[in-house]
Amino acid sequence: QSVLTQPPSVSAAPGQKVTISCSGSSSNIGDNSASWYQQLPGTAPKLLIYDNDDLPSGTPDRFSGSKSGTSATLGITGLQTGDEAVYHCGAWDSVLSVWVFGGGTKLTVL
Amino acid sequence: EVQLVESGGGLVQPGGSLRLSCAVSGFTFSLYEMNWVRQAPGKGLEWVSFIDTTGSTIYYADSVKGRFTISRDDAKNSLYLQMNSLRAEDTAVYYCARVGSVPAAESMDVWGQGTTVTVSS
């Protein structure tokens, strides 16, 4: 049981947009920044979004992040087949002094 | 090129021990906090342990507290995870991950390729 809650899967057609939610609590997302990680099949996770909505160099601007209260959202527009991956959200929990992650969301581009 | 390379994984019997290493290159290791994160087969990411730049602040997940020990050797540009009293539920790919610097200080901005630990008799 992950501390952060994500939908197990989402799907959309190429060219469409999709959003992935990440629900936490006041001690993690509510008090700290959310980050998102993309894990392509058979590879290690890669930082996609940091500080709720900032993109590291190399992340296409088709990806976006937002935060409201104790939840964070990852948005992807102009979906490509290469975006098929598992997306994980993460945050620091100030009360527990632990990093927490969601269970991961598998994106399928139909 | 910034790089993290884990090693030390393998097959171990329940109750056994392993020491994982993470060799870093391409950045000044002593300036960065580090984490170990694991992923059981078919599961999500699970944070395991954190160490700050001096080694004086260390945190563990409850699931490994008292059994795992994180450490670092800045002279060798290496991060370690000593794992004792291993259980079947410790079976996973173990990643080392760098904590980003401001403004990305609440994220893990570089990850290794992972090393596989299998605990089985």
Side-chain angles (χ1 to χ4, degrees):
Chain A
Q1 191 81 359
S2 301
V3 173
L4 305 181
T5 301
Q6 299 180 236
S9 63
V10 296
S11 62
Q16 297 300 303
K17 67 178 179 180
V18 69
T19 60
I20 298 174
S21 61
C22 175
S23 177
S25 69
S26 59
S27 61
N28 42 67
I29 294 178
D31 197 34
N32 300 291
S33 298
S35 52
W36 290 91
Y37 305 86
Q38 179 191 56
Q39 188 172 26
L40 296 169
T43 69
K46 173 188 168 186
L47 178 65
L48 194 66
I49 299 278
Y50 68 91
D51 199 23
N52 304 316
D53 55 11
D54 283 334
L55 276 61
S57 59
T59 297
D61 60 7
R62 299 184 296 104
F63 293 87
S64 64
S66 64
K67 173 183 143 176
S68 177
T70 59
S71 293
T73 301
L74 171 69
I76 312 173
T77 60
L79 279 170
Q80 304 174 359
T81 55
D83 296 331
E84 287 201 333
V86 176
Y87 293 86
H88 308 269
C89 60
W92 173 252
D93 191 297
S94 305
V95 170
L96 300 176
S97 293
V98 300
W99 287 84
V100 292
F101 289 100
T105 299
K106 179 175 174 57
L107 168 65
T108 301
V109 181
L110 303 168
Chain B
E1 179 192 5
V2 173
Q3 202 168 10
L4 308 177
V5 179
E6 302 93 337
S7 61
L11 174 64
V12 61
Q13 293 188 338
S17 298
L18 275 178
R19 187 194 196 206
L20 305 185
S21 299
C22 171
V24 316
S25 59
F27 64 98
T28 305
F29 178 58
S30 62
L31 298 180
Y32 287 86
E33 300 170 333
M34 300 292 296
N35 286 291
W36 285 99
V37 178
R38 68 185 181 183
Q39 187 171 34
K43 302 296 185 182
L45 302 176
E46 180 189 13
W47 170 79
V48 173
S49 184
F50 162 91
I51 187 168
D52 74 350
T53 56
T54 64
S56 60
T57 298
I58 286 174
Y59 300 116
Y60 296 101
D62 285 346
S63 57
V64 307
K65 202 171 293 183
R67 302 187 298 122
F68 290 12
T69 302
I70 191 172
S71 62
R72 63 190 297 156
D73 186 335
D74 291 349
K76 294 184 177 180
N77 287 328
S78 292
L79 176 73
Y80 304 102
L81 186 68
Q82 177 65 44
M83 305 188 297
N84 298 330
S85 303
L86 283 161
R87 306 166 180 167
E89 54 264 36
D90 296 318
T91 294
V93 176
Y94 285 73
Y95 298 101
C96 60
R98 188 180 82 171
V99 177
S101 49
V102 175
E106 294 180 359
S107 67
M108 302 183 198
D109 67 345
V110 182
W111 295 65
Q113 87 289 347
T115 188
T116 300
V117 172
T118 303
V119 184
S120 174
S121 55

